[in-house]
């Protein structure tokens, strides 16, 4: 294998480059990133970095000299503007570069509000990049009032940070409940109660009609139903869209994400893809995951296959979220569940939600239950499905289920 070009200097792109080298690839690696900084981890952006507890330097996945040491040509601030799969070239920074293999790790972009809704007012933010957080951080000041649009993980994590910093928070979710897309009502109930205890006003089944402002700066919002809320700033946490622009321009198949097969191959020969930008085969359909686990594991699988391994990507997904003093850990993917049982924890604030399809255990949400999470992950990895009634019984020793 000669020159590998990677487009997207994020979690997946960095993992892919590292894996190529660790698996013995000796050819050229060029890693293009549109952002002006080297690859960094995003999870702390809505957690410890936003509170100011984590320094910027700790966000970076690798020290800058690592790229030179590994012979990886890192081209930050250089978006790739076109791919020609027939000629096997990419265009970036006014140059055209040929490749032997190309990997797209372009990630996702946040949904924004239309200008008619006030999306272009000052003080309206989305939270995806380091630059986004640096822009919004000064607004998270004691006594400020925030409106958060969207009750998914990012909106909820930002709400927790805001409360910690003394910001008054109203969070609206247009679905009937927060976390509806990703969790069962039992987990939503737990998280809602947690935020209400910390003073967040959560309005479910409530959408934004429009933002209001004065002199180009947001001042509040009108919600569906007519209620008005005052806000010094607004965070739009309304989900992300896979960044498929480049892939579509190159004629690659895309269906809610760049379509890849279980080898991480796109529809064009010699072009692979990994991370948030892809949809891949899972349980008989195509899924898109937004997680560090998926970005790294799929990227490593793509790297192996670029080097000829012919390895299938068949993950047991996992994910986490930190809100206040609660660590939510998720093992597996609950997609297609038809039954849920809850297991009370030993101490206050501990609980877990177990998702089944028929008798098959699919996933577990563990709230402040690190040991339950570990056992659940191992059960799912091992294809073991303890009976739901057994799991729900607090007297059951979960670890013993691993030996069953
Ligand atoms: C605030 C926040 C908190 C999160 N918290 C968690 C968490 O707690 N747990 C968890 O598992 N996951 C979390 N995630 C999700 C996780 O960070 C993502 O799933 C992961 O970053 C995806 O990696 P990626 O490489 O696919 O995409 P990204 O990290 O988005 O990287 C893609 C990169 O490609 C670049 N790019 C796009 N187009 C081009 C182009 N044409 N040319 C050059 N470069 C291009 C983009 O600028 C971007 O830098 C969080 C995400 C956010 C935003």
């Amino acid at each position: 294998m000669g020159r590998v070009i990677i487009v997207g200097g994020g979690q997946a792109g960095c993992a892919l480059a590292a894996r190529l080298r660790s698996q013995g690839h000796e050819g050229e690696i060029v890693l293009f990133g549109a952002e002006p900084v080297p690859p960094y981890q995003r999870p702390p952006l809505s957690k410890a970095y936003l509170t100011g507890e984590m320094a910027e330097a700790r966000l970076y996945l690798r020290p800058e000299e690592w790229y030179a040491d590994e012979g990886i040509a890192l081209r930050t601030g250089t978006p790739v503007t076109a791919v020609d799969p027939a000629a096997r070239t990419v265009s970036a920074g006014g140059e055209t570069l040929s490749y032997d293999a190309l990997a797209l790790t372009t990630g996702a972009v946040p949904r924004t509000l239309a200008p008619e809704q006030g999306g272009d007012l000052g003080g309206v933010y989305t939270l995806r990049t380091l630059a986004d957080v640096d822009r919004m951080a000064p607004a998270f000041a004691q006594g400020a009032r925030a409106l958060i649009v969207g009750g998914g993980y990012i909106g909820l994590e930002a709400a927790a940070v805001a409360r910690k910093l003394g910001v008054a928070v109203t969070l609206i979710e247009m679905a009937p409940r927060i976390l509806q897309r990703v969790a069962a009502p039992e987990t939503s109930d737990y998280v809602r109660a947690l935020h209400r205890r910390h003073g967040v006003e959560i309005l479910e089944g409530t959408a934004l009609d429009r933002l209001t402002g004065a002199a180009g700066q947001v001042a509040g919002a009108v919600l569906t139903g007519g209620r008005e809320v005052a806000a010094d700033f607004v965070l739009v946490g309304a989900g992300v869209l896979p960044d498929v622009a480049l892939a579509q321009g190159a004629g690659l198949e895309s269906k809610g994400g760049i379509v890849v097969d279980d080898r991480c191959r796109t529809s064009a020969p010699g072009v692979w893809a990994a991370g948030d930008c892809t949809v891949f085969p899972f349980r008989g359909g195509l899924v898109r995951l937004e997680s560090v686990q998926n970005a790294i594991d799929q990227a490593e699988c793509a790297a192996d296959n670029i080097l000829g391994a012919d390895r299938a990507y068949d993950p047991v997904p996992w994910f986490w979220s930190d809100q206040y003093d609660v660590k939510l850990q998720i093992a597996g993917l609950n997609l297609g569940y038809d039954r849920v049982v809850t297991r009370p924890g030993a101490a206050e604030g501990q609980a877990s939600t177990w998702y089944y399809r028929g008798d098959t255990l699919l996933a577990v949400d563990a709230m402040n239950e690190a040991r339950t999470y570990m056992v659940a992950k191992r059960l799912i990895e091992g294809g073991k499905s303890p009976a739901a009634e057994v799991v729900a019984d607090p007297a059951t020793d979960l670890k013993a289920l691993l030996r069953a």
Side-chain angles (χ1 to χ4, degrees):
M1 178 57 63
R3 179 189 287 157
V4 181
I5 293 184
I6 305 168
V7 184
Q11 190 92 49
C14 185
L16 206 150
R19 180 73 164 200
L20 286 171
R21 280 289 179 251
S22 71
Q23 294 300 102
H25 174 58
E26 288 178 356
E28 246 184 279
I29 302 176
V30 187
L31 174 55
F32 284 103
E35 293 181 64
V37 289
Y40 57 91
Q41 41 168 341
R42 297 189 194 278
L45 296 183
S46 51
K47 308 177 182 76
Y49 184 70
L50 185 56
T51 59
E53 289 158 327
M54 185 191 260
E56 179 181 329
R58 287 187 49 210
L59 294 176
Y60 294 106
L61 293 168
R62 304 277 181 171
E64 222 159 336
E65 59 275 15
W66 177 84
Y67 298 92
D69 292 348
E70 293 291 321
I72 295 164
L74 175 63
R75 307 274 299 272
T76 54
T78 314
V80 169
T81 50
V83 170
D84 182 341
R88 296 203 173 210
T89 59
V90 305
S91 309
E95 273 181 81
T96 299
L97 228 68
S98 62
Y99 61 80
D100 297 292
L102 174 68
L104 300 177
T105 53
T106 49
V109 285
R111 283 204 181 86
T112 51
L113 294 180
E116 307 84 79
Q117 275 193 302
D120 54 356
L121 288 167
V124 180
Y125 305 107
T126 52
L127 205 178
R128 180 76 190 178
T129 66
L130 181 54
D132 290 339
V133 181
D134 289 345
R135 250 192 315 271
M136 78 177 74
F140 281 67
Q142 174 81 33
R145 294 157 308 175
L147 172 67
I148 298 183
V149 180
Y153 286 117
I154 292 195
L156 290 163
E157 289 184 355
V161 169
R163 291 302 300 134
K164 193 168 178 181
L165 298 175
V167 176
V169 179
T170 299
L171 182 148
I172 61 171
E173 167 55 59
M174 70 180 180
R177 60 181 173 86
I178 56 167
L179 297 178
Q180 176 160 300
R181 193 175 64 83
V182 290
E186 288 78 354
T187 296
S188 299
D189 291 348
Y190 176 99
V191 175
R192 182 189 309 105
L194 172 71
H195 281 270
R196 288 199 171 143
R197 272 203 305 282
H198 284 85
V200 176
E201 182 183 29
I202 294 189
L203 305 174
E204 295 162 301
T206 305
L208 179 75
D209 181 40
R210 63 183 187 281
L211 298 179
T212 54
Q217 185 67 23
V218 75
V222 180
L223 310 180
T224 50
R227 181 174 155 191
E228 295 185 28
V229 289
D232 301 306
F233 71 96
V234 173
L235 176 63
V236 182
V240 295
L241 297 167
D243 193 338
V244 296
L246 198 62
Q248 277 182 342
L252 271 52
E253 190 188 357
S254 143
K255 229 186 268 165
I258 304 170
V259 177
V260 293
D261 66 8
D262 67 350
R263 265 56 183 173
C264 316
R265 290 178 294 220
T266 70
S267 59
V271 185
W272 280 260
D276 280 16
C277 63
T278 67
V279 285
F280 64 92
F282 192 80
R283 285 189 201 141
L286 286 175
V287 296
R288 200 172 71 75
L289 296 180
E290 294 161 18
S291 71
V292 167
Q293 169 277 318
N294 181 61
I296 295 175
D297 294 349
Q298 197 183 21
E300 292 188 346
C301 185
D304 290 355
N305 291 337
I306 287 171
L307 300 178
D310 195 27
R311 176 161 84 78
Y313 180 54
D314 183 20
V316 172
W318 54 265
F319 185 82
W320 80 96
S321 174
D322 297 325
Q323 296 168 40
Y324 310 102
D325 54 353
V326 172
K327 183 171 264 311
L328 168 62
Q329 291 170 290
I330 302 168
L333 188 66
N334 64 23
L335 182 76
Y337 73 90
D338 54 21
R339 187 171 173 210
V340 163
V341 290
T342 52
R343 180 180 161 88
E348 207 187 319
Q350 295 185 319
S352 52
T353 307
W354 296 62
Y355 299 83
Y356 285 82
R357 185 174 56 202
D359 294 331
T360 305
L361 175 64
L362 299 180
V364 176
D365 301 338
M367 278 73 83
N368 270 349
E369 291 256 29
R371 285 177 58 196
T372 298
Y373 166 76
M374 287 310 296
V375 171
K377 188 157 175 280
R378 284 174 61 194
L379 286 169
I380 296 167
E381 280 166 356
K384 293 183 178 173
S385 293
E389 299 66 34
V390 172
V391 159
D393 181 353
T396 299
D397 172 12
L398 285 182
K399 265 188 127 174
L401 299 175
L402 286 170
R403 295 188 291 271

